[in-house]
Amino acid sequence: MDLNSDFTTRVVVRADDLEWQASPMKGVDRRMLDRIGGEVARATTIVRYAPGSHFSAHTHTGGEEFIVLDGVFQDEHGDFPAGTYVRNPPTSKHTPGSEPGCTIFVKLWQFDMDDRTQFRKTMADELAAPVNGVATATLHADARETVTYSHLEAGATLTSEADGGIEILVIDGTVEAGGDVLPKNGWLRLPEGDTLTATAGDAGAKVWMKSGHLPFAKAPAV
């Protein structure tokens, strides 16, 4: 499957407008944002676990990165409530599920294959003091990418001229970017060379962002 796989174009998806699609595991549904490949894919997806649902044990051959959007994600490593950011690098493994139910934003097969750094962070705990109405946390940075999380006050503007493409997910509130209004779960991907200017609406916004990663986008090596 190829979905939004032309990384030289601007893409906007309001994920809450998409229908849920069943995954191979009962009780686990998804909304696909971009994808290269079949069930083994370089993929960006919003995944919903029904209460009491579980996925089978698996190894992250190409790595897995996710944010818990609501509910509590669970595996043998612990409970991960909403607002948690997790990186499970290549060769890591787990048996995921959720007794209360949860929704996560997840990216698969987008790691440096030599990365072995595994961690979890409560994103809000990492925030620096606000500057011009924007408080930002650097969640992860390496030679391939930078991952941040920001709180925007009403009317505040988040900007980035990062090389290598930019991608944002609106976790709460709304932002206006390039003439598009992105609500909660709105997703924007900008190609290399584009500049991000995202202005929060009247209720402010919480925004996750990744930059620098698009030159490395390719199908899984399987």
Side-chain angles (χ1 to χ4, degrees):
M1 175 188 292
D2 284 346
L3 174 66
N4 294 325
S5 58
D6 181 354
F7 296 96
T8 67
T9 62
R10 182 179 189 273
V11 180
V12 174
V13 179
R14 295 170 181 83
D16 286 352
D17 292 341
L18 302 178
E19 296 293 329
W20 289 105
Q21 301 179 35
S23 80
M25 194 62 59
K26 182 179 179 181
V28 181
D29 300 319
R30 55 198 178 183
R31 289 168 166 162
M32 300 180 187
L33 304 179
D34 70 17
R35 196 173 186 90
I36 308 173
E39 280 308 315
V40 177
R42 182 214 182 271
T44 304
T45 313
I46 292 178
V47 178
R48 179 181 67 183
Y49 285 78
S53 62
H54 296 83
F55 223 87
S56 55
H58 58 270
T59 298
H60 303 118
T61 306
E64 172 192 69
E65 169 188 26
F66 66 89
I67 304 164
V68 184
L69 300 175
D70 63 53
V72 181
F73 179 91
Q74 297 170 310
D75 64 15
E76 59 268 43
H77 304 296
D79 291 354
F80 303 79
T84 307
Y85 172 69
V86 180
R87 288 181 70 91
N88 290 323
T91 74
S92 62
K93 61 183 68 176
H94 69 166
T95 306
S98 180
E99 288 305 319
C102 70
T103 306
I104 65 173
F105 169 78
V106 59
K107 299 179 75 65
L108 300 173
W109 278 96
Q110 299 179 42
F111 274 64
D112 180 341
M113 293 302 289
D114 293 327
D115 189 343
R116 295 294 181 269
T117 303
Q118 186 171 21
F119 66 78
R120 61 182 287 178
K121 292 181 178 179
T122 300
M123 296 190 295
D125 289 351
E126 305 291 319
L127 289 168
V131 176
N132 296 325
V134 180
T136 296
T138 299
L139 301 175
H140 173 76
D142 60 27
R144 296 164 55 103
E145 64 184 28
T146 299
V147 182
T148 64
Y149 172 68
S150 298
H151 281 196
L152 283 67
E153 298 173 6
T157 299
L158 175 66
T159 61
S160 177
E161 298 179 353
D163 293 332
I166 299 167
E167 175 181 345
I168 67 170
L169 178 75
V170 180
I171 296 175
D172 198 16
T174 63
V175 301
E176 187 278 330
D180 289 298
V181 175
L182 300 176
K184 182 178 179 179
N185 296 327
W187 179 76
L188 168 68
R189 196 185 69 207
L190 298 176
E192 189 165 11
D194 276 17
T195 296
L196 173 71
T197 303
T199 301
D202 292 343
K206 298 176 181 178
V207 177
W208 175 93
M209 180 169 70
K210 183 190 286 280
S211 61
H213 57 307
L214 296 187
F216 303 100
K218 60 183 179 180
V222 294

